[in-house]
Amino acid sequence: MNSKLEQFANSGFMKKIQAFSVKLSQSPTFGTISQGMGGTMGLIMIGAVVQIICAIGGMAFGWKSGDALYNMLYMPYELTMGLLGLFMSFTLAYTYAKRLGLKMLIQSGFTSMVCFILVCSPIVSATTETGQTIRALNISSLGANGIFVAILIGLISVRITKFAIEHNWEIRMPDVVPEGILNSFNSIIPSGINILVWYGLAQVISQLTGGALTLGTLITKAISIPLSYLVSPLGMVVIVIVFCLSWFFGIHGGSVVFTAIMPLYMAAYATNAELVAAGQPLPFNPIFLYGCVSVIGGAGNTLPLCVMGLRSKSKQISAVAKASFIPGLFNINEPAIFGFPIMYNPILLIPFILNSLVVMVILYFAYSFNLMMQPHILIMTTLPIGI
């Protein structure tokens, strides 16, 4: 078996993939994505720990969303993972500006953050009982489901800034002005152009959709609509592949896929719960094959990768594996996806997709031959493996 694996690893196919992977890693764009995501690892780990604590509290003490203690403990997650896309828009722009040799590093990061908020988080208004109008940001799209938009804005905004500088679209200041102040003044015009471009795009989308969509939700909706027609055994194969490919390209796979199938998924659970209560047999429903994507360590079943990474000779891989293993037991695997990384890594994409498909085949036969009971209890995804 080992000799066959070695032959496959040294095959022409794998060498081409490895060469393509090296070429990607040497590209300023893809190198930026990897490094920019790595800059948020600390926040990701904090969010993962908070999720674990809340999951254990829910099992042991019955904590649930809405309880004062639960909400208090969950707040660090809301301010880390809940704003992950926002933070990543800064790290990506900062890293890309540095790779392109721009001096306005911090300014590029802040510009990217502002543009990200403009296109993903429209301001909502509410009136209190006293008649006071409160304006607030809708942060629902600033987390992991906004990562793809953060990548787009982080990269393109820096390119716009570089274009403006190369064409001398900047405010000239005397050389005696300190560099920090000089960079701030020089960034005014490039930042203004970026805001006009991205905010203009946001307004166009808002006007065309009657305010129903933002750039982030438009991308998600465009991908998710076709998926709702694929609820069959073969269709679920397509859905799982799209799920994994979405993560690979920086799009939150769950947001894209589960948004499309959630009504059918919830209805299937409700139907089965009623049948169990009535003592009726449960029919096979292909929608439950979706469970194959995250039963062993989160999206793509990455816990085995973390286990193997613990024995790696690479210090980087070993460190990521150690940081990802415990969260992986609770099906939280952002540390693995962003840390190894799996995103934009064509070599790891192969097992990332095949793993879920193999688990799907096992589930299909287990359900078909009544080796496993059809699901009828909707449980938390962060419950530890085995529970």
Side-chain angles (χ1 to χ4, degrees):
M1 179 65 71
N2 289 335
S3 61
K4 291 183 179 180
L5 289 175
E6 289 177 1
Q7 290 177 3
F8 178 71
N10 295 320
S11 64
F13 172 72
M14 287 302 297
K15 287 182 178 179
K16 288 181 180 179
I17 292 182
Q18 290 170 357
F20 179 65
S21 179
V22 171
K23 187 175 182 179
L24 283 183
S25 65
Q26 293 175 346
S27 165
T29 301
F30 289 97
T32 294
I33 293 173
S34 178
Q35 190 174 349
M37 290 188 299
T40 60
M41 276 294 294
L43 297 176
I44 292 171
M45 287 305 304
I46 292 173
V49 170
V50 170
Q51 281 187 296
I52 291 172
I53 293 173
C54 291
I56 294 175
M59 290 185 295
F61 307 109
W63 298 347
K64 59 183 182 297
S65 179
D67 295 344
L69 180 59
Y70 182 94
N71 289 345
M72 180 187 71
L73 292 174
Y74 204 68
M75 183 56 66
Y77 173 85
E78 297 285 359
L79 298 178
T80 52
M81 291 295 296
L83 297 175
L84 184 61
L86 178 63
F87 299 138
M88 197 170 289
S89 68
F90 178 90
T91 58
L92 285 163
Y94 181 96
T95 303
Y96 198 41
K98 187 175 182 179
R99 282 177 174 263
L100 295 182
L102 300 181
K103 295 181 179 180
M104 298 179 295
L105 304 181
I106 296 178
Q107 291 83 357
S108 296
F110 284 144
T111 298
S112 178
M113 289 179 71
V114 171
C115 294
F116 179 71
I117 293 173
L118 286 174
V119 302
C120 281
S121 183
I123 295 177
V124 294
S125 300
T127 303
T128 64
E129 295 179 355
T130 61
Q132 182 182 6
T133 300
I134 299 176
R135 293 168 61 82
L137 290 175
N138 178 2
I139 66 171
S140 61
S141 296
L142 301 184
N145 56 351
I147 288 177
F148 186 69
V149 179
I151 292 174
L152 287 179
I153 293 177
L155 298 177
I156 297 176
S157 66
V158 173
R159 278 293 178 180
I160 292 175
T161 297
K162 189 174 187 297
F163 179 85
I165 292 175
E166 289 176 345
H167 288 76
N168 297 317
W169 297 349
E170 52 188 351
I171 298 176
R172 294 294 181 179
M173 299 291 290
D175 294 337
V176 295
V177 176
E179 184 178 0
I181 298 177
L182 181 64
N183 288 337
S184 296
F185 273 92
N186 288 344
S187 68
I188 292 176
I189 294 178
S191 296
I193 295 173
N194 266 299
I195 290 174
L196 286 174
V197 169
W198 293 107
Y199 189 54
L201 178 60
Q203 289 301 305
V204 169
I205 294 174
S206 179
Q207 291 299 320
L208 292 177
T209 62
L213 297 176
T214 64
L215 176 60
T217 54
L218 177 63
I219 292 174
T220 299
K221 189 176 184 66
I223 299 175
S224 64
I225 289 176
L227 297 181
S228 60
Y229 299 96
L230 295 174
V231 181
S232 67
L234 290 178
M236 293 305 296
V237 172
V238 177
I239 286 178
V240 168
I241 292 176
V242 172
F243 174 91
C244 295
L245 285 175
S246 296
W247 273 115
F248 175 76
F249 285 109
I251 305 173
H252 193 288
S255 296
V256 172
V257 172
F258 195 64
T259 299
I261 67 173
M262 180 174 61
L264 301 173
Y265 194 75
M266 301 295 287
Y269 267 102
T271 300
N272 278 12
E274 294 174 359
L275 290 174
V276 169
Q280 299 295 320
L282 302 181
F284 170 71
N285 193 325
I287 197 74
F288 293 124
L289 295 177
Y290 177 73
C292 73
V293 299
S294 59
V295 295
I296 316 173
N301 302 307
T302 54
L303 187 61
L305 177 63
C306 298
V307 173
M308 291 186 289
L310 295 173
R311 302 178 58 187
S312 174
K313 296 179 180 179
S314 166
K315 292 183 179 180
Q316 176 185 344
I317 293 177
S318 177
V320 171
K322 291 177 182 177
S324 305
F325 178 73
I326 297 299
L329 294 176
F330 291 80
N331 293 316
I332 300 167
N333 75 332
E334 280 84 354
I337 288 179
F338 301 140
F340 277 102
I342 295 173
M343 287 175 64
Y344 293 99
N345 188 327
I347 293 179
L348 288 182
L349 174 64
I350 297 174
F352 189 64
I353 294 178
L354 290 181
N355 199 318
S356 297
L357 294 179
V358 169
V359 174
M360 175 184 282
V361 172
I362 295 173
L363 283 179
Y364 177 79
F365 284 106
Y367 288 146
S368 299
F369 292 99
N370 295 319
L371 300 177
M372 287 178 60
M373 186 177 184
Q374 293 288 322
H376 62 281
I377 300 174
L378 190 61
I379 63 173
M380 296 170 55
T381 58
T382 52
L383 284 177
I385 291 175
I387 294 181

